[in-house]
Amino acid sequence: QVPVVESGGGLVQAGGSLRLSCTASTLRFAGFAMGWFRQAPGQDREGVICISRNGMIAYYQDSVKGRFTISRDDAKNTLYLQMDSLKPEDTAMYYCAANRYSWCSESWSSWGQGTQVSVSS
């Protein structure tokens, strides 16, 4: 059983939007920072954005600033990634992960299996 499960990916045209969700059945998100990562074909996985336990946001990719919004609903144990103005270069498998700490440290655990986002030009 994977710790977290991502959903919401799909195929969209450039300029479109998607909202990804991440939930867990046994892991409680409330005490941890949570983040989104992505991996394009042939490339290494990269961090996209992180939200701390108290809502502070850290961007790992300048290219998503102003387009991607991360949020969390700890009552629902759900993490979201709203992606607007999507570009073909956003095409990747997107992963959710829980940090080992309440802030956006470099120590991540509890990875999901990912959800595919494909953006056509």
Side-chain angles (χ1 to χ4, degrees):
Q1 184 179 11
V2 295
V4 297
V5 178
E6 304 92 340
S7 62
L11 173 63
V12 296
Q13 291 187 331
S17 298
L18 284 173
R19 188 175 82 155
L20 307 184
S21 298
C22 172
T23 61
S25 58
T26 57
L27 174 68
R28 302 302 303 174
F29 290 175
F32 304 99
M34 298 294 297
W36 288 98
F37 293 74
R38 66 186 181 187
Q39 186 170 20
Q43 298 186 19
D44 293 334
R45 184 170 60 193
E46 63 182 14
V48 178
I49 192 169
C50 172
I51 184 168
S52 71
R53 180 181 65 181
N54 62 3
M56 293 190 66
I57 295 171
Y59 288 91
Y60 298 129
Q61 299 297 325
D62 287 342
S63 63
V64 307
K65 289 182 180 179
R67 300 189 300 120
F68 288 13
T69 303
I70 189 172
S71 61
R72 61 191 297 161
D73 186 337
D74 289 342
K76 295 182 178 180
N77 208 41
T78 302
L79 178 74
Y80 302 101
L81 181 65
Q82 177 67 42
M83 304 187 294
D84 299 317
S85 302
L86 282 162
K87 303 176 180 180
E89 51 264 42
D90 294 319
T91 295
M93 185 72 79
Y94 281 73
Y95 299 90
C96 163
N99 200 279
R100 296 186 187 277
Y101 303 99
S102 62
W103 65 93
C104 296
S105 79
E106 296 182 356
S107 183
W108 295 92
S109 65
S110 305
W111 295 89
Q113 292 186 328
T115 184
Q116 178 68 40
V117 171
S118 299
V119 185
S120 63
S121 58

